[in-house]
Amino acid sequence: MDAKILERCMDRIQGGEATLEDCLRDYPDQAPVLELVLRAAALTRDALAPPGPTEAFRASSEARVLNLMRARLAKMHPAMRNWSPIRGRLLKWQPAYRLVSASLAVALIAGTAGVAYASGEALPGDSLYGVKRGVEQAALVLSPRSAWDARLQLAFAGKRLEEVEALVELGRAADLGAALDSYEAALAAALELGGTDQQALERLGAALDQHEEALARVMEKAPERAKPAISEALERSRQGKKAVEQVQQGEHPSESAPGQLTKTPDAEKQKREPPKAKDRTPGPPATLTPGTY
Amino acid sequence: MGETETSAVSDADLIARARHGQVESFGELYRRYLDPIYRYVRMRVNAESDAEDLCETVFLRAFEALDRYEERGHPFSAYLYQVARNLLVDHYRRQPASVGLEEADHIEELDSNPDTVVLRREQVRGISQALEQLPEDYREVIRLRVVLELPNATVAAWMERSPGAVRVLLHRALKALREGLSEGAD
């Protein structure tokens, strides 16, 4: 059987210009083998042809993908550009954050997704916490514009602080690190995407005031070993507020501005370690002698 | 696609515009190639959700690497295909249990008749087993040319072979598949 004849027949059949029988008639000398091969091809295609993307996916996916791309390209106000030590990290596509399907998000809205509803109170370290974060990500997926993404991220930052307060109340200091990390990431995203119009800045400023109050409350109640991490989050929140105020006043914070956060060399790659127990044992004597301790 | 201004623009022009920050131009590329890329990925994984995630990641990865992309005579879709193949390798590495290259879980979506579903599953299993016996390039040309019904020129670009080489490869692959199906039936 001639490979060109096979290709020609496949093209005609796939293009709807001819049937298999037409091809066998056109090439009677090759018909016996041609028929077997074309039927095997048809069988394989019918059995394995995958469905195309659903309309729901097609519609939501394009918006989601383009939003992520816009966020990546968004020109941050110079004040914000120098503020965020972890800019870019959040905007990297994170396959590990599995997006809950739009249908689940819709089900949540309709109040029929019991699991999603039950996950609403989950805290870092709880089994349903992943579901809760997945539902939040679905909301980001469905948000039509980056401005709405910014408001969502701000809301998420607030939720993370609520979780931090709850964890402190429950004495679960070991889970605080992850919650504080997530708070800083959400805050950074909100600042990156939030725009520089007056309304957006006022919203940011008000939220940051609340964040500072919440973190101060947490600081009072948290165990000692957790305080350095909380202090760092509090400092970031304050610096964010300062940057917002300066932008509102038409100023451009410089690298040398007092209190301006300095990006440390590997800040984007550092992961926060769980707060370690503060070592309260006295330091060793200046000269070490075996058996002294 | 409709006859819009963007649909008449070449891939190269869209890429150039996207490189200058025109995200909507990349959106046009997304619309152009979503179907074939999605269907290729969908064919290669079990779960629809995995296919959706991977498909989006293909385009995002491609966008992130746009500065480094060079046409080199191949269409942009060929580049997307390579990104998809690389992501699939990573996917299988992370989730080896989900590797069922041709074990589609969407059969029930096509027909709710239980007898038909059983027959189709048997059919799929037989064809999958016959395909599994073939060399990888035979399987790939069958996936692209037969199952996805991509034109020979596209398959040639994606597989980085000449159209003539793809023609010969397909010929051999289908003959081998037919023999495998015959043996399976015996």
Side-chain angles (χ1 to χ4, degrees):
Chain A
M1 180 183 57
D2 190 308
K4 286 185 180 177
I5 292 175
L6 172 63
E7 182 189 55
R8 200 170 302 135
C9 288
M10 285 192 60
D11 285 342
R12 290 173 65 200
I13 293 170
Q14 287 174 2
E17 300 163 18
T19 63
L20 185 144
E21 288 71 25
D22 293 335
C23 288
L24 298 180
R25 261 197 306 276
D26 291 343
Y27 303 101
D29 294 342
Q30 315 251 352
V33 180
L34 191 60
E35 180 177 6
L36 291 172
V37 171
L38 286 175
R39 288 200 187 280
L43 201 68
T44 303
R45 183 189 57 247
D46 291 345
L48 301 182
T54 63
E55 283 311 310
F57 172 75
R58 196 189 294 274
S60 67
S61 174
E62 182 175 341
R64 178 169 54 245
V65 167
L66 293 186
N67 271 345
L68 281 165
M69 292 176 184
R70 286 191 192 97
R72 196 165 188 78
L73 291 175
K75 298 255 187 276
M76 289 187 293
H77 192 285
M80 306 305 176
R81 187 179 301 132
N82 292 328
W83 178 89
S84 174
I86 60 170
R87 76 179 191 281
R89 187 182 74 188
L90 188 73
L91 300 178
K92 280 182 98 59
W93 183 248
Q94 306 235 5
Y97 262 113
R98 285 289 303 278
L99 297 175
V100 176
S101 69
S103 60
L104 177 57
V106 170
L108 174 64
I109 294 166
T112 58
V115 169
Y117 180 79
S119 72
E121 301 302 315
L123 296 174
D126 293 344
S127 59
L128 287 179
Y129 190 66
V131 176
K132 177 180 180 180
R133 294 299 299 275
V135 172
E136 289 179 357
Q137 292 299 311
L140 275 175
V141 160
L142 296 175
S143 70
R145 296 171 296 157
S146 63
W148 284 101
D149 281 1
R151 296 180 78 160
L152 281 171
Q153 292 288 3
L154 203 57
F156 294 161
K159 274 193 176 293
R160 299 294 86 79
L161 286 185
E162 288 174 11
E163 290 166 4
V164 167
E165 291 197 86
L167 287 169
V168 169
E169 291 291 333
L170 293 169
R172 287 168 52 177
D175 295 317
L176 275 177
L180 289 168
D181 259 348
S182 299
Y183 162 70
E184 290 188 36
L187 180 60
L191 287 163
E192 286 182 4
L193 300 170
T196 54
D197 60 281
Q198 202 57 33
Q199 199 176 15
L201 290 170
E202 284 173 5
R203 192 163 47 237
L204 276 170
L208 287 166
D209 283 339
Q210 292 174 354
H211 292 182
E212 191 176 332
E213 288 170 9
L215 285 165
R217 285 196 300 271
V218 166
M219 183 69 93
E220 287 177 10
K221 299 177 188 175
E224 284 300 318
R225 62 189 168 128
K227 287 190 177 180
I230 297 167
S231 177
E232 192 174 332
L234 186 56
E235 181 60 21
R236 292 201 194 284
S237 177
R238 286 176 179 153
Q239 290 301 324
K241 179 65 192 293
K242 189 172 179 181
V244 168
E245 287 171 349
Q246 287 176 317
V247 173
Q248 284 177 309
Q249 291 159 14
E251 296 174 16
H252 294 267
S254 68
E255 290 283 1
S256 60
Q260 178 71 44
L261 283 177
T262 304
K263 182 177 174 182
T264 53
D266 293 316
E268 290 192 351
K269 295 182 181 176
Q270 282 177 355
K271 293 186 179 178
R272 186 190 302 275
E273 297 294 330
K276 293 177 183 169
K278 190 170 180 180
D279 186 358
R280 292 190 172 279
T281 57
T287 51
L288 296 176
T289 306
T292 300
Y293 309 100
Chain B
M1 289 186 298
E3 290 297 320
T4 62
E5 182 183 332
T6 50
S7 66
V9 180
S10 69
D11 285 1
D13 285 344
L14 290 171
I15 291 166
R17 294 178 190 180
R19 280 180 171 148
H20 284 90
Q22 289 188 27
V23 171
E24 289 72 21
S25 295
F26 200 87
E28 174 59 24
L29 289 168
Y30 184 82
R31 285 187 288 276
R32 280 185 191 179
Y33 297 116
L34 174 63
D35 266 63
I37 295 298
Y38 176 89
R39 293 183 70 229
Y40 176 72
V41 173
R42 184 68 183 90
M43 184 173 50
R44 303 295 304 276
V45 298
N46 270 342
E48 182 181 277
S49 55
D50 286 344
E52 291 176 350
D53 282 353
L54 285 168
C55 186
E56 290 188 351
T57 306
V58 167
F59 285 92
L60 284 163
R61 287 275 176 91
F63 179 77
E64 288 172 3
L66 214 52
D67 284 347
R68 298 191 296 276
Y69 169 74
E70 294 174 22
E71 192 178 336
R72 297 179 193 164
H74 294 298
F76 189 64
S77 62
Y79 175 65
L80 294 172
Y81 165 75
Q82 286 300 331
V83 174
R85 280 178 63 90
N86 292 339
L87 282 172
L88 282 165
V89 168
D90 292 342
H91 175 74
Y92 297 146
R93 197 175 292 136
R94 285 196 310 270
Q95 302 183 36
S98 75
V99 175
L101 297 181
E102 271 74 36
E103 288 287 330
D105 67 353
H106 62 272
I107 290 176
E108 284 86 357
E109 299 169 10
L110 304 175
D111 196 320
S112 58
N113 182 317
D115 291 337
T116 310
V117 168
V118 168
L119 278 172
R120 282 188 65 84
R121 281 208 177 277
E122 284 304 312
Q123 196 176 55
V124 170
R125 190 167 294 121
I127 292 170
S128 299
Q129 285 171 352
L131 276 170
E132 281 295 310
Q133 305 305 313
L134 303 181
E136 172 56 24
D137 56 348
Y138 281 23
R139 280 186 278 170
E140 191 69 354
V141 75
I142 288 173
R143 288 184 194 121
L144 299 179
R145 190 76 176 87
V146 176
V147 180
L148 296 185
E149 297 186 296
L150 295 173
N152 193 65
T154 301
V155 175
W158 285 22
M159 296 185 74
E160 296 185 333
R161 300 182 191 219
S162 69
V166 171
R167 186 182 307 127
V168 170
L169 185 66
L170 177 69
H171 180 241
R172 292 174 181 165
L174 282 175
K175 282 186 72 176
L177 176 66
R178 194 204 69 76
E179 287 162 13
L181 289 172
S182 297
E183 287 169 12
D186 291 340

